Amino acid sequence: MHRWPLRDLARRQRRAAFIRALRLGRYFEERKPDVAFTNLVAANKAGFFAAGMTRDCPEIIPIAHNTVEKRETDHCVFSAASGVVAVSRGVSENLATVVGVQADKITMIYNPVCSPDIRILAENEPDHPWFSDDGPPVILGVGRLVSQKDFSTLIEAFRHVRANRPYRLVILGDGPLRSTLEARIAKFGLGDCVSLPGWVANPFAFMARAALFVLSSRHEGLGNVLVEALACGCPAVSTDCPAGPAEILGDPTLLAPVGDAEALARIMRRALDEPADKAALRAKAARFSVERSIDGYETLIADVLVGRTNRRRE
């Protein structure tokens, strides 16, 4: 694979950002939207620069999906915006304390994760033999095989659980750390009870039939898969990572310190030993419904437009 020098890469990234901003600016000029929501770093920056190029620019509202550890270049984008949406309370607090965004500019709106489609898709049979062979129950993890998701800790925690209990582990997803995780599975001698089937189109069928869902992430913005598991009636535990899982689960006994395999194994054992009320799990997920998210955005849009009208009258 060809490797670009860092300065060439930076130059290409700036050029790409400028081109995106020009295109978005033309769209603003032609369509004249009142409000523009931007998602993720590239779009946030493009919206910020496009607004500066447009005579009658819309109200720009970036959506923050993750926490950051230090004030980054997005500070200027967020500070200049009409408002900022945070997808969880943890992200909202991070924006205020780390990024430096004024608290009154931040609106917390949960992602619209829970939809009727999940219940329908969960009724399908999962495409994996371990869910139909009458073998040991399955513990499930879902996500890209990257360092953020920390599946290495999940595999080690599973090793502790497996030491005296006949369970199996399935991790859905693909990514650059596949070979590293496969080596870890081999090192622990877990090849016969840990499966990495890759990306699947319908993870909800797996969630609905798993004995337990585990989120082992080092950090999240919300943790959509955790909500999805609950919506499928699957018991779930998580690392107490910033941000999202504590808000979703609402129970500190279901949380383990980030990167602590032994602590994660303990809460996994506890959750496996205590039958969960599926109706209560689905009720937790319902707080992250499409309808509630829509209500939040409609209210925010109305408030932003009232504020713009008042400014123009001044």
Side-chain angles (χ1 to χ4, degrees):
M1 182 177 68
H2 183 78
R3 296 185 180 276
W4 294 101
L6 285 178
R7 72 166 172 257
D8 288 347
L9 178 60
R11 188 182 303 120
R12 286 170 175 272
Q13 289 175 338
R14 287 196 298 271
R15 182 173 183 274
F18 182 68
I19 291 172
R20 283 192 293 266
L22 284 176
R23 290 172 177 169
L24 191 56
R26 284 198 294 270
Y27 177 87
F28 290 163
E29 292 281 3
E30 293 169 3
R31 300 300 182 92
K32 303 188 185 315
D34 294 312
V35 179
F37 290 95
T38 58
N39 269 286
L40 305 179
V41 175
N44 290 342
K45 291 179 179 177
F48 173 72
F49 289 116
M53 302 174 185
T54 309
R55 284 168 297 183
D56 187 17
C57 69
E59 304 293 323
I60 305 293
I61 305 177
I63 303 174
H65 289 272
N66 281 292
T67 58
V68 297
E69 295 182 356
K70 59 183 180 179
R71 184 177 295 211
E72 298 178 340
T73 53
D74 273 356
H75 170 67
C76 63
V77 174
F78 291 138
S79 297
S82 301
V84 182
V85 171
V87 300
S88 68
R89 286 198 303 272
V91 170
S92 177
E93 292 166 2
N94 178 259
L95 284 171
T97 59
V98 177
V99 182
V101 181
Q102 293 174 250
D104 61 359
K105 292 183 68 172
I106 304 169
T107 301
M108 197 281 290
I109 303 175
Y110 286 132
N111 286 337
V113 181
C114 188
S115 72
D117 292 344
I118 291 179
R119 295 288 292 272
I120 296 170
L121 291 168
E123 294 175 0
N124 295 334
E125 291 296 325
D127 185 17
H128 195 289
W130 287 359
F131 291 89
S132 58
D133 65 356
D134 296 323
V138 175
I139 297 170
L140 183 67
V142 178
R144 290 191 66 230
L145 308 185
V146 294
S147 60
Q148 176 195 347
K149 304 302 179 181
D150 199 11
F151 288 123
S152 290
T153 293
L154 173 56
I155 291 168
E156 186 173 351
F158 173 75
R159 176 172 69 99
H160 294 306
V161 172
R162 170 77 178 180
N164 53 17
R165 299 165 190 243
Y167 285 97
R168 297 182 287 195
L169 174 65
V170 172
I171 299 175
L172 304 179
D174 221 330
L177 294 185
R178 169 174 285 277
S179 60
T180 301
L181 296 175
E182 289 173 339
R184 193 169 185 80
I185 292 166
K187 174 186 175 182
F188 291 147
L190 299 174
D192 63 337
C193 57
V194 179
S195 174
L196 305 179
W199 181 87
V200 299
N202 181 11
F204 311 120
F206 291 74
M207 292 173 176
R209 290 158 183 81
L212 180 68
F213 180 85
V214 183
L215 184 74
S216 53
S217 296
R218 296 177 180 176
H219 63 88
E220 290 285 347
L222 178 62
N224 290 350
V225 289
L226 200 54
V227 177
E228 291 166 346
L230 297 177
C232 293
C234 183
V237 299
S238 175
T239 52
D240 191 13
C241 67
E247 298 174 49
I248 296 168
L249 295 176
D251 183 350
T253 67
L254 300 175
L255 300 168
V258 172
D260 189 334
E262 292 187 2
L264 185 58
R266 283 196 296 272
I267 66 168
M268 289 167 65
R269 292 191 197 99
R270 187 185 305 124
L272 290 165
D273 289 343
E274 299 173 0
D277 182 338
K278 292 185 179 294
L281 298 177
R282 293 190 177 105
K284 284 186 179 182
R287 294 179 295 130
F288 305 87
S289 68
V290 172
E291 293 78 12
R292 287 194 178 191
S293 181
I294 290 172
D295 288 344
Y297 278 99
E298 286 183 341
T299 300
L300 175 58
I301 290 169
D303 290 344
V304 168
L305 293 181
V306 167
R308 182 170 71 169
T309 299
N310 291 339
R311 287 195 304 274
R312 289 178 174 176
R313 286 174 178 168
E314 292 174 354

